[in-house]
Every structure is written in C-alpha cells, then in structure tokens.
Amino acid sequence: MPAALVASPDRQVAIDDIRFRTLLGEEAWAQLPEAVRRRFSKRLAPGQTIIYAGEVEATSLSWAGRLLSFLARAVGAPLPLTSGATGPALVIVSEDERLGGQCWLRIYNRPGRFPQAIHSAKRFRGPTGLEEYVGRGIGMELRVTVEGEALVFRSARYFLALGDRRLPIPRLFSPGQMTIEHRDLGAGSFAFSLELTNAVFGRLVWQLARFRDA
C-alpha cells in the first residue's frame, strides 16, 4: 500500500521504484490507474516512511478464522483479531535492505481494546519474485496480477525459513488462499481488502478498509 504523510526531513521521496512494474510486465502495468502506478513506484531511502491514514469499514471472522487468528499470535498475530472491528487505521511503509524490501506496519483500532499492530515485510525474492514475511520464519510467496484495474496479490505457497533453507508448508497444513486487493477509488483514496479462504472451512477472514493519500 502506499502514500500520505512522508517523514523525510532532508530528502524527497524518489518516484523511481520499478520492482512492481517489473513483476507485472508493461502490458499489465499500463492497465492500472495512474494513481495506483504512482503509489507503487515510490522508492524510499533509509530513514524515510510513508503513512496512509484511513478507516476499517468491515471485519469478519468465522469461528475457524477466530481460532486461526488466535493461534497465529505465536508468529506475530498477522491476521485481524476481532470480528466486527471497524474504525481508524494507519499503514506505515518503510524500506529496509536487511529485510530485503518494504516493511509494513498496520495499526488497526479495536473498540474497547488497545489497537492491533501487524508487522510484515514484502521481499522481492523467491520463485514468484515477491513474498510476504511475517516473522518467526513464516512467509508466503505471492503472485501479483491486475484484475479490473485493481492490483491483486494472491498466495502461491507458504513456507518456513530455517537459516538459508526454505521449507514449503504442505497445502494440507496451510491456512488457505490469501487474496489482497488494492483498488483506486479516485479523489486520492483507495480500498484495501483482505480475504483468506480455506478449501474445507470456507471463508475464514475478510476485511475491507479505505485509505487516502495526503
């Protein structure tokens, strides 16, 4: 996700990151709205951050989704914890070469509780060219496509990293198909949706949020 407040006291954000463009290819990249291309072309220098402010409009977890979300706390709680939660949200993006790509911090309001903070890193590596790492050795390879002018990320395979070794997690033990969509809404705003679907238990998690550029 990408652009609202830029914390860079002595530098401007350079619009020169071609990593997502390279993953998609020129034909698919050209199908994206200009605003989406701009957001996903910002390369941050060390020490720079971009902050997107917005609101979570809907969060839904099935009983199996709530159980999975609870168990996933052991690897940093990468999934929404509270079904029905709505309210203010922040996404903070930075660049970290040691992690191999972009660091994302998502902060979600939870009524009557402290906000939930979710950390992950988008790393430009692996068989698909992109993976999301959530910590404790757990990550997922992502395939990136353009569908109906939206940028869509889908899980291809989950893995466990042990030092330099990457062990694929069998599909039987994986949580299911993760689909993340970034869709431009015009006027400097965009929608972010997350859906996790399991072949046996159906839809486990669904969340919809709206963010805006500065």
Side-chain angles (χ1 to χ4, degrees):
M1 270 184 210
L5 289 175
V6 180
S8 54
D10 54 3
R11 293 185 298 271
Q12 296 296 318
V13 173
I15 314 293
D16 64 354
D17 191 341
I18 64 169
R19 292 175 294 185
F20 285 104
R21 181 174 183 170
T22 301
L23 281 174
L24 286 167
E26 292 299 323
E27 182 177 352
W29 180 257
Q31 296 173 19
L32 291 169
E34 180 182 354
V36 178
R37 296 198 301 267
R38 184 175 63 252
R39 294 183 193 115
F40 284 87
S41 297
K42 286 178 166 43
R43 185 64 171 268
L44 300 174
Q48 291 181 315
T49 59
I50 296 179
I51 302 175
Y52 296 95
E55 302 82 31
V56 173
E57 298 185 346
T59 305
S60 175
L61 284 77
S62 68
W63 68 266
R66 290 194 294 270
L67 176 60
L68 175 64
S69 182
F70 175 80
L71 295 175
R73 291 184 180 192
V75 293
L79 296 172
L81 294 172
T82 306
S83 186
T86 60
L90 287 177
V91 174
I92 303 171
V93 183
S94 59
E95 187 80 20
D96 191 324
E97 293 183 1
R98 291 173 296 180
L99 285 175
Q102 296 177 343
C103 294
W104 289 33
L105 169 61
R106 303 168 180 86
I107 302 175
Y108 296 121
N109 180 65
R110 292 193 297 162
R113 304 182 184 185
F114 288 116
Q116 179 185 3
I118 298 175
H119 303 81
S120 67
K122 278 190 168 55
R123 309 193 298 195
F124 296 86
R125 60 176 67 166
T128 64
L130 181 66
E131 63 186 30
E132 184 144 7
Y133 179 70
V134 299
R136 308 292 176 87
I138 301 296
M140 61 180 173
E141 298 166 2
L142 295 171
R143 298 191 189 280
V144 190
T145 59
V146 177
E147 301 175 19
E149 296 190 339
L151 190 60
V152 180
F153 303 83
R154 284 195 177 88
S155 59
R157 186 175 63 172
Y158 295 84
F159 64 85
L160 174 64
L162 298 174
D164 295 331
R165 300 182 62 192
R166 293 163 58 96
L167 305 178
I169 297 175
R171 293 188 182 277
L172 180 63
F173 300 107
S174 72
Q177 175 80 61
M178 177 73 77
T179 303
I180 299 167
E181 181 183 282
H182 176 110
R183 181 176 297 277
D184 190 64
L185 300 176
S189 66
F190 59 91
F192 168 84
S193 65
L194 177 152
E195 183 177 40
L196 178 61
T197 304
N198 185 274
V200 176
F201 299 104
R203 190 167 75 178
L204 304 179
V205 180
W206 181 73
Q207 187 174 64
L208 176 65
R210 182 191 298 257
F211 293 90
R212 51 192 173 272
D213 296 328

